[in-house]
Amino acid sequence: MSNIQNQKSGLAKLMATENLTVQHAKVPTASFDPKNRILTCPIWEQMSGDLYDLLMGHEVGHALDTPADGWHGAVHDRGANYKGFLNVVEDARIEKRQKRRYPGLRRSFTNGFNELMDKDFFGLNGRDYNHMTFIDRLNLYSKSSYTLPVVFNATEQAFVERVQACETWDDVLKVTNEIWEYSK
């Protein structure tokens, strides 16, 4: 493990206020296993400190705020895509809370998102994101810290505002269920 990986792993453990297991692997994206308390950070070429901080800060947000029971129990009769919807809303909530807890992460989240866009991490390949599904536009908009010029209709804008207001897991479930029904 490189010196920077050691430093960032230690920082993640401090931020999470527990002795998480932090691993680095050749994986497509960062992840957190809330049951086993394992944070996985990808090994990518050309990863800036800001992008590293975004990934670690985001996953530590899951460590602090995403309930293991709720997350693992989220797969049910709505189908496999439901968990993706839930993830978009939960990601918006935990990133908001992380920026509030650790204001120094705000710039890293912004710069890291811009780096992900430059790398075409979201697979846009030059496509106009305003022609994407609502959940995909919501995801990009929230990941951009609500700065990307995404267009929403009035109903969608009301959902965006409700997502921005989510504070609890129950809030996330309620809004996700309504977005799921709207998107059908």
Side-chain angles (χ1 to χ4, degrees):
M1 185 179 300
S2 74
N3 190 35
I4 189 81
Q5 289 173 332
N6 273 329
Q7 290 173 356
K8 298 293 185 175
S9 295
L11 180 60
K13 291 176 183 188
L14 288 171
M15 290 170 56
T17 67
E18 66 178 282
N19 191 18
L20 298 173
T21 299
V22 178
Q23 61 186 20
H24 293 80
K26 291 193 182 237
V27 292
T29 190
S31 63
F32 181 71
D33 176 346
K35 182 177 181 184
N36 297 306
R37 314 304 290 168
I38 299 171
L39 188 158
T40 303
C41 192
I43 299 170
W44 293 337
E45 291 182 32
Q46 306 296 323
M47 187 178 349
S48 72
D50 282 331
L51 181 53
Y52 208 116
D53 290 347
L54 177 152
L55 296 171
M56 294 295 246
H58 175 93
E59 297 309 329
V60 167
H62 283 301
L64 292 168
D65 292 322
T66 303
D69 291 341
W71 185 248
H72 286 293
V75 178
H76 51 68
D77 60 352
R78 289 193 172 107
N81 290 335
Y82 177 79
K83 198 163 184 179
F85 278 63
L86 185 64
N87 189 59
V88 168
V89 178
E90 175 63 351
D91 280 358
R93 178 180 79 99
I94 61 112
E95 287 189 2
K96 172 184 72 177
R97 292 174 62 87
Q98 285 298 85
K99 290 177 210 172
R100 197 165 53 211
R101 267 187 202 110
Y102 306 108
L105 283 178
R106 291 172 193 249
R107 181 178 298 259
S108 294
F109 274 60
T110 299
N111 292 344
F113 173 78
N114 290 334
E115 189 173 334
L116 290 172
M117 289 294 282
D118 290 345
K119 293 176 181 284
D120 196 32
F121 178 79
F122 300 102
L124 299 176
N125 294 320
R127 291 186 302 151
D128 181 353
Y129 47 79
N130 281 310
H131 291 104
M132 298 171 74
T133 64
F134 170 59
I135 197 67
D136 290 333
R137 286 180 287 128
L138 174 62
N139 187 43
L140 286 171
Y141 188 55
S142 64
K143 296 277 185 222
S144 76
S145 299
Y146 306 104
T147 61
L148 204 61
V150 178
V151 176
F152 299 104
N153 66 35
T155 302
E156 293 168 342
Q157 184 60 42
F159 280 128
V160 169
E161 291 166 12
R162 293 190 51 221
V163 167
Q164 290 173 318
C166 284
E167 289 292 336
T168 67
W169 178 249
D170 287 340
D171 294 341
V172 168
L173 291 175
K174 184 174 183 181
V175 174
T176 300
N177 289 339
E178 292 173 20
I179 291 172
W180 177 260
E181 290 302 317
Y182 168 77
S183 296
K184 289 199 303 190

